[in-house]
């Protein structure tokens, strides 16, 4: 029973980490749009950078999911 609680806790921590990553992505996107409005970067450059930010976000979330899955298996002894 304690192992199930710990596995649940791992899931909760993973979700908090995913939310934090998405918040960083949102902030980054807002900065890119602000830079475009200030004419510091072009629209094409903004789109390219947004794509890069999205790729990094996806990779990071995948790493979080993999780590959480591995830890859950370890805790549950499977």
């Amino acid at each position: 029973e304690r192992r199930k609680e710990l596995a649940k806790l791992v899931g909760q921590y993973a979700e908090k980490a995913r939310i934090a990553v998405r918040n960083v992505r949102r902030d980054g996107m807002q900065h890119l749009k602000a830079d475009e409005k200030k004419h510091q970067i072009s629209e094409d450059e903004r789109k390219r950078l947004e794509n890069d930010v999205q790729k990094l976000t996806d990779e990071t979330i995948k790493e979080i999911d993999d780590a959480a899955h591995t830890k859950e298996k370890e805790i549950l002894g499977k």
Side-chain angles (χ1 to χ4, degrees):
E1 195 173 306
R2 177 71 177 140
R3 289 175 184 232
K4 287 181 182 179
E5 289 175 26
L6 289 172
K8 244 185 188 179
L9 199 58
V10 168
Q12 291 173 355
Y13 283 131
E15 183 59 27
K16 287 179 183 179
R18 286 189 291 268
I19 289 170
V21 169
R22 288 193 296 263
N23 287 340
V24 170
R25 176 190 61 193
R26 185 192 64 227
D27 293 344
M29 297 292 194
Q30 288 174 348
H31 286 295
L32 289 173
K33 288 177 184 175
D35 287 347
E36 182 188 9
K37 282 186 178 183
K38 294 177 192 173
H39 301 292
Q40 293 176 344
I41 60 173
S42 67
E43 181 180 356
D44 290 340
E45 190 173 1
R46 177 187 55 86
K47 287 182 181 180
R48 182 183 55 78
L49 291 170
E50 283 180 349
N51 194 20
D52 291 346
V53 169
Q54 184 61 47
K55 283 180 186 176
L56 287 171
T57 301
D58 293 341
E59 289 172 10
T60 305
I61 287 178
K62 184 179 182 331
E63 288 175 14
I64 291 168
D65 290 342
D66 291 345
H69 184 69
T70 302
K71 188 51 82 174
E72 283 177 6
K73 284 174 94 174
E74 182 182 317
I75 290 171
L76 295 174
K78 293 183 180 176

